[in-house]
Every structure is written in C-alpha cells, then in structure tokens.
Amino acid sequence: MELENIVEEAVDERAHERLLDSLFALDGKKRHNVALRRSTNFSSNLDLVVHASQDTAKIQPGDLKLKRKNASFHLKKPLGTLELEKTKRKLTREALVTEMTKWDPVVKEMRSADQIAYSKRQHGIQMFQAVQPQAFVPRTPLEQEIYAALGKSQDTLKPHQEFTEAEARALKAMSIKEARARRSELMKHHELLSRIEQKAKRQKKIKSKRYRKLLKADRLTAEKRQMEYLQKNDPDALHEKLKKIHEDRMEERLTLKHRGGGKFSRLHKAYSKYDDKTREAVQEMFKKSRELTKKDENISDDDDDDDNNINTKFDKLISNVTGETSQEIINHNVKYPKIISDKANAWLEGSKAGNKMPPTQILNPISTSTEAVIPTPLAEEASRLPDSLKKVNSVNKSEQEITEIKKQRKSTISEPVSKRKLEDKNKESNADDPSVIDEVRSPISMDKSKLKREKQRKPTNTDGKTPQSSGPEKPVPESVLYSHDSKTDDSKKTLTMEELFQDEDVIEEFTKEKAEIEGRKKLEVDLKLPGWGTWAGPDYKKAATNRQKRFSKSKRTPHQRKPSQTAKAPFVWINPNRDEAMKKLLPKAVPFPFTSVQQYESSLRQPVSRGLVPESATKLLTKPEVVTKLGHIIKPILKEDYFSKSKSSEMDLK
Amino acid sequence: MAAVVKKKQFSLKVLSRNPENYKRETKLDIHRAPINPEGYLHPFAIDREYQRALNATKLERVFAKPFLCGLEGHRDGIEALAKFPTRLSHVLSAASDGEIRLWNLATKRCVSSVLAHDGLVRGLCSHRSGNFFMSCGQDANIKFWACSEEGNITQEPIRTILNKQVYQGIDHHEHEDIFVTCGQSLDVWAGDRAQPFQSYTWGLDSMHHVKFNRIETHLVAVAADDRSIMLYDTRGGSGVQKLIMRMRSNAISWNPMQAFVFTAACDDYNLYTYDIRNLSIASNKHEDHIGAVMDVDYAPTGKEFATAGYDRAVRIFNAVEGHSRDVYTGKRMQRVNHILWSMDNKYILSGSDEMNIRLWKAKASEKLGVLKPRERTAFNTAETLKKMFKDHPEIKRISRHRHLPKLIHQQKAELREIKESQKRKESNRRFHSKPGSVPFIPDRKKQVVEVKE
C-alpha cells in the first residue's frame, strides 16, 4: 500500500515537471532549471498531494507555489574541488590569523624591551678534579745540561717544596726543639728571599720615566759620594775607577749611540722643519754626540797622580755625567741669585750689543745650574733652602725656555718700541732687580698678541694687582722669591707696568681693530649680476634697501652675537667664526626616533661613563641590549611558555 | 678672689674613615681611585664622551676582523649546510659530489665524512634529537644517518626511502617526529612510514625550498619555481595562502622569536620580510646585495639575519632595518650559496662555490672568549656611547665605512644610478599625466604580483 503510494507520487512529480515546462512554454520563456540535489525524504511533496486531493479535477497554479516554498529543503549542488579547497584555505587562514594575533603582545614586549637575556639554562658550577700539571722534563740538550747541573744540587729550592734537600736533611738530624727554631729561621729566610725577588721583578717592570729618572739620579749621587770618599781615603782605587769610567766612555764612543742614525733621529729630522721643539731635541742629541765623540786629551797625557790632576779629571767626569763641575755643585746655593742676575745681565747685554755672543753660550751656565739641582749630592742642602729659593728654580727654567725659543726665532730684537722701553728701564732701575726679567719678557710677547697684552693690562687698571696669565709665561711674583733679602712692593710694580705702556694707547688701537674687523664682516660680496633684482631701475631706492635687509638677515648665523651685546663690552671682541670647526662635527638633521632638537639633545645630555656618574648608574645606563651566555644554545621560544594548554583550549572554544 | 673656671663645652672633631673606602681588598687588586660623580665637577663630560665614542668607533673598525677560518676538504661545490639543534660545535655540510661531512668548529676539523648520494645532495637537515640527520639527493632517495656524540657518522644509512621523484628540500619538525620534503609536491612524512601521510600540490611548478615554522610548528613555508611562496598548515591538511612575486625567492627563514614573521631571499637582489597575516605587502624590504640573494638564516635571537649573495658577499642585516649592518667578503670567496647562523649567536658559516666553508664572527670586532667583569663594563660602555652618538657625522662615517671589492663597489654605484633613474622616470610620468592616474606604490609592495587564496 505504502509502496504504491510512493511510486504514484514519483510519477506524479514527473508529470508535474512536465506540466510546469508546458506552462512556461506558453509564456515563450525557457524555464530556468535549478539543479537540485534531492534528499531521500519523499514526504516533502505531501502538501501538494493534500492540496491536489482537495481539488480533485484540476491542479491550480496556486497549489504549485507550495512546491517552490519547499525548495529550501533541497541541498545545493556540491562544490567543485577547487572551490572546496578555496573554502578550506579560507577557514584555515582565518584560524591562523586569530592564532597569530595572540602573539602580538609577546612580540611587542620583546621589541620594546631594553634588555633581553637569551638563556634559560641556569649557571651551574661543575666540579672538576684539579688537573696537576705535568712535571718539567728537559728535552733540548741545553735544558738537559742545565738540569743535570742544577737538578743534582741539593741547595736549589724547587717549587712547591718548603726546603731544599740539604736543609731538610739538616733538620732531620737535629733535635726537635733545635729543628723547630732552625725551621722557623729558614722559613723567614725563604720568605725574605722570595719577597726580594718579587720586589725586584715588580721594579723591573716599572715604566714610569719619572721613576727611572729618580733612580738614575740616586745612582749618580751614590757614585759621586763614593768618588768623594775615595778621593779622600783611597786615591789608588779612585784612579782605577776613573780608568774604568774612561774605558766605558771609550766604549760608548765606539758604539753608535747618539750618532743620529737611529729611529729617533730619523723620525725627528723629518719633523724638525716644522716643529721647534723637535729641532731642539735633535740639536741636543747632536750636541751630546759631539761631546761624546770628542777625544779626551787630558786623560791621555796624564802620568802623575797629582791631587790637582785627579781633581780636574773628577770634575770632568762628573760634568760629563751631570753637566756640571763639582765646584759648581758645591757652591750651588751661593750661586743662585747670582745666576739669575747673570742671566738678566747677559740677556740685557746681548740685546744691547746686538747679540754679539751666540745665545747658546749665554745660556749654558743657566741651563747647567737649573738641570743639576736635583741629582747633586747637595740636594739635601738645597732642600734645606727656603721654599722661595726652590721656586726660583722652576721659574728660571720656564723663563729660560721662553728666552731660548725667542732667541732662536730672532736673535736680534728688531722691535724698536721694546728696545726703547728697555733702555728707559735700565736708566731707572738697577740691572740686578729681578723684576726686570719679567718686564723684559713682556714687550716681546707683546708684539705677538696684542689682545693678550690687553687682557693683562686690563686688570692692572682696575684692581691694581699684578697681571696674571696662564701657561709657561706665568709670572711668579718676585717679591715672594726674594722676601728674605729684599722687599719690593706691588704698587711699584703696577706703576712700572703703567709706565711701560704709557706711550701707546692700546685701548684705542684695539677698538680701531675691532671696528675694522666688524666692518669687514658686514661687507658681503654680492655675486649677482649688476642690476639683477633692481627691476624698477637703479634710482628706485626702496626695493634695494628691502633686498639688502633681507640679505643681511638671512646671512647672520645663530652663533653670531648681536652688536649690542659686544657693544656693552668695548674691550671684548667675540669671534663669530668660533664654532665653524665644530659645526662640521654636529648632526645636520634630527635623527629618526626623535622629533625635535630638544628631544635629541636631552638624550645626549646624560653621561654614562664610569667616573662621570655613579657606578650603579653606569651599570644601569650601559645595559647591553642582548645578553647571551657563552656556549649556550638559544632555542626558539616555546609556545607552551606563553600560552598554557588550558588557556589555549578555552580560546579555541570561543 | 678665685676665678670660677667654667667647664667649657666643646666637641672634638676627628677624622674617621672607614678603611673599606680607601683600601684594596687584596694586593692584587687595583688601587681605589675615589671619583666624584657630581655633575658640576665634570663640565666637559659630554665632550669627553663624544671623544670616547669616536675612539670606540675607530677601535671597532680596527678590530673588525671577522674571518676566523676556512673549513677545507670538500671536493665539489657546497650544496647544503645544516646545524644541530642540540650541538654547538658540530655542523653538517654536503657537496655536489654527494659527500656529507661533519665538522667540529672548535677544532676546525672535519670529524667524519660519508658518500651519501649518487650525484648532488639536494637537502640536508638534522633530527630534533640531534643524533640523526637526513639527506635527500639527486638519486631520489631520502637517507637517515646516525652520528655519535663525537661526530662519527655511520657509513651506511640507518634507513633509506626510495622515491619516484627527486626531492629538492627537506626540513624537520621542531618537536615531533615529522619531516617535510619538497619537489613536485610537498610531502609530509611521519614516523617510520615509507609513504608520506600528507601530500600537497598547488599549481604545477616544483618547489625548491621548505622550512618549518619553529614556534607555530604546524606551519610550513615553501618556495616554488613559479616565483611563489606558499604557506601550508599540516594540521588542517590544506594550504593557507600563495604569494606570487615578480621574481623567484631562493630561500626562506622563519624568525625564531616571532611566530608570524619570515624573510625571503629573492632573486631581485633584495630580501623581503613578511607578516603572514598580510602577504599583500612586505613589512620590510632589505636591500644592499648586488646579486641574487641565495640564502638567508636568522640569528637565534631573531634580531638579525645573515644572507648569502650571488655577488660573493655575506651580509648581515638588522631584522628591522632596510640596509645591512655589515658585509663580509673574502679575496677568493666565490658565489655564496648557503649560510648558517650558529645557535649561540656568535658565529656565521658560509658555504660557497669554491668548495670552502668559511667561519665568521657574527660581530666583526667582538672579542672572543671569556670577558673579565671590568672588560665587560668597558665594552658595554663603549657600545652605549657608540649608540648614543651614532648620528654624529664623523662617527657615522667611520662606522659605515667598508673597504669593498672593486666589483661590489662599482656595481653598487651602478645600481644606485639605475634606481635613481627609475624613480625620476616615475615622478616625471606622474608629473605629466592626469593626477591620480599614476598611483604611489610603496617599494614594499611593488614586488607582489598576486596573493592567491
């Protein structure tokens, strides 16, 4: 029964299809056929059946609409493989995007972190058995020979042993008490030896020039003392010693020392053209070589052992070593003031007489006196001198350098002003007055830099104090130096300074110069064609002035001071090109992460080095970006570390 | 009469200092030098730091000697390099004559070698355990080899898979016992099966390079001959996306610290870094090579990567910057085909056509070996200072200067000219045509032809 019904329905459906086709054909249209996949459920057409049974005779089109409604019940035609794949990919992609987006905060954190340490493994200490180094085995014949010689000896102390074999044997032979005492004694001895050894090693490694100099000075002092001692007590020994020294000297003469073929001279010769100091050094070296290679006649022709003769030889030798005669050394403290005065005199005489004497001759006694103060045996005596006298030394040195340099530059003083000044000065004050040195020097430096002189002069006018300047030319107040014998007052000094410059109107000169320079600055070179820009003709004033204004405005650099600023200080001229050299070293634009100059500058304002900020701050500020441990494998990050399984499953559910 | 003597109240100030503040701990220590870090005492602090930075930069260039050694021994051009995930000192290399060698980097010697394939070795990768490695060759075999802790390779493969097709690349999964091979299709193999359990094809062209993502380990990126890069998800058993570029990409490297980032070495002399969520535009374009880029490998920190160029140079890029931070060249080094960044972030290995493997330092001027604390502080300070003043022209000039081979130098200038002229032409065209008709396309997008979904 049921089966029949089903078949009937199927037939009915087919008939219905045909009917529909015919109906559409009436309209002249072709029926759009929707491909449908039927489900096996046949009851889908039940409605139609019911409706049809109600109207037995005819099937109304209204009934057919029901069929359309029922179409949703049918499944669509399956997608092609390509489309199916596409959909699958789309789904995967969407899942992937959500999955990857979860990593965003992790990546962001990593990118913005100041420091990332890439090592999970804890630092562990592994205990290893101490590996004993292999005992020394002599291999080469020389080593074997030495080992045979030393190894058999029972008095050598081997490493990691307390006592030598002989000592150990001796200790064994003694009673316990004795042995203990002896042992401690030996230990002390060993310790002392090792200490001395270490000290010697350490001292050998010292590279300080100053230390070496002091050491040399000590040695010389000791030598000299011994010489003196021998001279008094044992002339024979002294004679032998002198012979030895003579031989040493001969040897030195034979060698190539101070010849000028060395690396030092080769290097310095190239530079000596340009650098005065280098030239001096080279000259000095040549002088030394000449001294050394000069044959000593006195010693060769002496036969008698006169006390006198020995004395002269002794002097000579010492002077070879130190550059000073013994007599000089002895009379050192007496000679101090005299040297100064000598120097001043000599200089003055030299300058007056158009420098008849070569400058080196004048300077020689001074140089010896200054250089030999420390290494002489009378250094103690020198130390007993008042402090002021010691200062003279340093002052002399610096002054001497300056004078030397100046003399080399021009042996005669051509500046008429300074000469006139000098002569005036000589008339007024006696030549022994040490203040002369200072004043003599200043006019020379004057022609070099007028600005400097101006600066020196300025404070004297206002404060009434002695002029001060930095560098080697720094004048030490002479009043301090000679306070123990002669007293000079400051007021007198300032007066002389004023007198010195009374003829010149320095201020006037300076203002003139300043105006000149500033005026020159203002004159800009206009490279435009004549008439360019003056479109209204040459007589049209306004445009021209406007243009000039614009032109000058744009040309002024930010570093340039406004004229009002310098006008306030008439004695000051600020160089507008001061920062030109610096500009090359500064960044031209604000670099990437920064948005303004202020921001960038503030990032540079914080020093980070050790010593400029506290230690802990340095550590913080100089944290490295990436920290890796030596020999540790860096593995890619683990998903489980960031997303626990439960959490990820929750996310999947959502 | 008697004056009253008042007891004076007074305090006596005595200098008392803690010896810790001025004494050394041991006599071997350096002397304490008290430093006052007050700002007003150091008016020239910044000037001094600038000078220090300048000096540090100069010293960096003085000490920049990156080449450590050449590993010699192969009798043919290098075809593949591979590193072990568990061993630092061992590295594998394969040559065109089918030989595979295992090198010890500490001793700079070849530990053992084996003739693995007939003809070229196309792919090489190590097992996640570090005790095995696999190779695929021109003879259409995939072979498994065991190597001992000391690095001795078994002379016979422990397993061989015979195939009908030649596989051109092979890579192993990070955690599971899965590996992929690529050739005419992308095949996923698991366990001991003799057949791949998944096989993908997308188009007809063969694929030449395959890499597993190392964080999201189910993702695979493949480079194919039709100038495309494809992404596959082994979980879902389907592809994800296919990016077609203007020119072929030779190699791909996933960032080991960022799951969604990979960099492709392209034939058009550039490298492109992509975010896989949006393949239609590269997140970065890395240019500087003057020849095709043959290989790329990320540093384990994910901050940098090294590239091998057909222009006979190895370059090191900062992952987020467009230009290389350093370039390594050798007088006799030929076209570089393969590159590796060691797992401890210290060394780079490059395999080139002239049968040599070269070992380089990852940081050219770095001091190797253990650093003393003071040394480390000094280096850190120098690094910070260099970074601080890096934009000052003098320092920039010194740190950027490289003495390059003539070929590279000239080619670079030529390329620059070409680029300029192209830019000029585009701007001219834009200027002379209807507004909007010549759109602005960012450089990072120009290489993308199509993204297939």
Side-chain angles (χ1 to χ4, degrees), chain A residues 93 103 609 625 634 639, chain B residues 49 52 216 240 343 387:
Chain A
R93 193 164 51 248
W103 283 103
S609 304
E625 253 178 63
I634 303 167
K639 203 178 173 185
Chain B
E49 295 225 304
R52 274 176 199 174
E216 293 286 357
V240 182
M343 298 289 282
K387 221 173 92 188

Side-chain angles (χ1 to χ4, degrees), chain A residues 574-604:
Chain A
I574 295 165
N575 186 1
N577 300 329
R578 182 185 43 145
D579 295 337
E580 282 300 307
M582 257 272 285
K583 262 186 217 164
K584 268 193 290 181
L585 303 175
L586 292 172
K588 303 279 177 298
V590 180
F592 161 59
F594 306 101
T595 49
S596 67
V597 177
Q598 283 80 17
Q599 217 180 13
Y600 181 52
E601 276 178 349
S602 70
S603 81
L604 296 178

